[in-house]
Amino acid sequence: MTDTVDVKTYSDDKCFGQKAPSLELLEAVQGEKIDLQPGKVHVLYFFTTFYKGAYPVNEEFTKLSEKYKDVTFISISNDAEKEKLERFLQKLILDDKSNEPIRMKTPFVFYDEKKATAKLYTDVSGLSIMSCPTAFIVDKDGKIQWRQQFLQTYTVKDSNFENQLLHVINGEELESNGPRPKVDAGEGEAVEADDMSLF
């Protein structure tokens, strides 16, 4: 399945430069309730507790939040029930290979009831559905500068997400993967490739 999922972020992504939707509909589960703050860079990490293959990505975002203290990291759960998230945050989860803890310890973890906020970010990205985990980088002016989907087989270390975050922090031009390639729809008609969904 992962062979058919294109996780590359292209330079013509519809969300780039768009105003990031408010976080006012979210419910704080870890950390205090906040919204996007002018003058600060934010990383918004949408995840689910049931996709166990992506648990290492949770640890990667925890480490990024510890490394970049001036960036506000907000993890947003798209689980069906808040209680599942609360139980998940209390669990000790160990990596199958290293036996090291896999944490979800970003300063802020919010619950997104009925995926209301995820739908806002899906709409601004021009997607029919947003696969989790997906992360957005929002600049100091409140505009989305980068969007990245992750998989069990494509984590933060496999992507240029951290480099892009550094570019946003420093006010630099981001790296480009070029525009989304066209795919042949048959009879000579070219269309843009659709984003794939895991769920």
Side-chain angles (χ1 to χ4, degrees), residues 6 9 25 32 97 131 138 150:
D6 184 3
T9 302
L25 298 177
E32 64 187 271
K97 296 177 182 176
S131 297
V138 180
F150 300 99

Side-chain angles (χ1 to χ4, degrees), residues 36-43 69-72 108 138-142 168:
L36 298 171
Q37 303 159 305
K40 295 208 71 170
V41 173
H42 296 75
V43 170
K69 299 288 191 182
D70 291 336
V71 176
T72 302
F108 304 96
V138 180
D139 68 14
K140 295 177 182 179
D141 295 323
V168 172

Side-chain angles (χ1 to χ4, degrees), residues 145-162:
Q145 293 299 328
W146 194 249
R147 177 182 68 85
Q148 182 64 61
Q149 179 186 340
F150 300 99
L151 299 170
Q152 178 176 355
T153 55
Y154 190 80
T155 65
V156 174
K157 66 178 174 55
D158 301 312
S159 74
N160 62 347
F161 187 86
E162 185 173 3

Side-chain angles (χ1 to χ4, degrees), residues 5-10 13 15-16 43-47 57 60-61 125 127 130-137 144-151 154-162 164-165 174-175 177 195:
V5 179
D6 184 3
V7 295
K8 186 178 285 186
T9 302
Y10 295 99
D13 197 287
C15 70
F16 292 168
V43 170
L44 309 178
Y45 171 55
F46 289 85
F47 75 103
V57 183
E60 288 179 313
F61 275 97
S125 300
L127 302 173
M130 181 170 62
S131 297
C132 289
T134 291
F136 292 81
I137 302 175
I144 298 171
Q145 293 299 328
W146 194 249
R147 177 182 68 85
Q148 182 64 61
Q149 179 186 340
F150 300 99
L151 299 170
Y154 190 80
T155 65
V156 174
K157 66 178 174 55
D158 301 312
S159 74
N160 62 347
F161 187 86
E162 185 173 3
Q164 300 292 53
L165 176 58
L174 275 66
E175 300 167 17
N177 292 325
D195 285 73

